[in-house]
Amino acid sequence: MKTIQLRKAFPKSGYNPGASALKIHLWYLTSLLLFRSGLLPSSTLLVYILRLYGARIGKDVRIKPFIDIKYPWKLTVGDHSWLGSCMIENLAEVVIGNHVCVSQHAMLLTGNHNYSKSSFDLITAAVVLEDGVWIGAKATVCPGTRAKTHSILTVGSVATRDMDDYMIYQGNPARMKSRRIIE
């Protein structure tokens, strides 16, 4: 068995947070005080503040208190979508379509580490939720995943690869269970 020598630093080769250190720190304080604390329950004001930080958000979007968004300038949300008290760890772009629901305590992850290298390099890849997608409570969408139109990831499931349109996925890793019927 080979012994792995770990380095003290985790390289972020090529990684760019997309904003200045000042903007990142200001967002961190804003997020802590107004978003993650739940002190500001008004969806309209939360959307307004996210737009000030560079998020591209459509009309009639509902954002619930206690949401945790890493970088709003790497977030796009379409019209009539609903974001519960979820975590959007968007080291890369997160694109959320129209009429999408991301339920409570769901996680959208765009970063991971290469565990096959002793340097544990950072890997980032976008997450895309197309129109009509529903991400269930406590579900996780992993980096590089595309949830195609009207697909569903059920409660507590983990999507590690793309989800086909109008299909329901369940489990860890998530597997296709049935077709979504919309009346």
Side-chain angles (χ1 to χ4, degrees), residues 101-117:
C101 177
V102 181
S103 298
Q104 293 82 354
H105 306 289
M107 292 191 300
L108 307 180
L109 305 175
T110 62
N112 204 344
H113 293 278
N114 187 344
Y115 57 82
S116 66
K117 291 188 172 187

Side-chain angles (χ1 to χ4, degrees), residues 21-113:
L22 177 62
K23 185 174 183 178
I24 292 168
H25 284 83
L26 287 173
W27 168 248
Y28 177 79
L29 289 173
T30 302
S31 175
L32 185 65
L33 295 173
L34 301 178
F35 285 75
R36 291 185 282 161
S37 69
L39 290 176
L40 187 60
S42 168
S43 185
T44 303
L45 288 174
L46 294 175
V47 166
Y48 176 76
I49 294 167
L50 285 170
R51 285 179 178 148
L52 287 177
Y53 277 94
R56 293 160 305 281
I57 300 178
K59 63 183 177 188
D60 196 33
V61 171
R62 299 289 177 245
I63 297 183
K64 304 308 281 180
F66 303 105
I67 192 168
D68 185 358
I69 300 169
K70 181 77 170 180
Y71 298 139
W73 48 91
K74 291 187 176 194
L75 177 63
T76 301
V77 182
D79 299 336
H80 312 290
S81 289
W82 189 92
L83 304 178
S85 55
C86 60
M87 174 188 238
I88 301 175
E89 186 71 18
N90 56 337
L91 302 174
E93 292 293 322
V94 168
V95 178
I96 298 171
N98 301 314
H99 301 280
V100 171
C101 177
V102 181
S103 298
Q104 293 82 354
H105 306 289
M107 292 191 300
L108 307 180
L109 305 175
T110 62
N112 204 344
H113 293 278

Side-chain angles (χ1 to χ4, degrees), residues 140 153-154 157-161 163 169-176:
T140 301
L153 183 62
T154 64
S157 296
V158 179
T160 59
R161 59 179 57 115
M163 297 166 35
Y169 289 79
Q170 182 179 34
N172 181 6
R175 301 279 184 234
M176 189 183 311

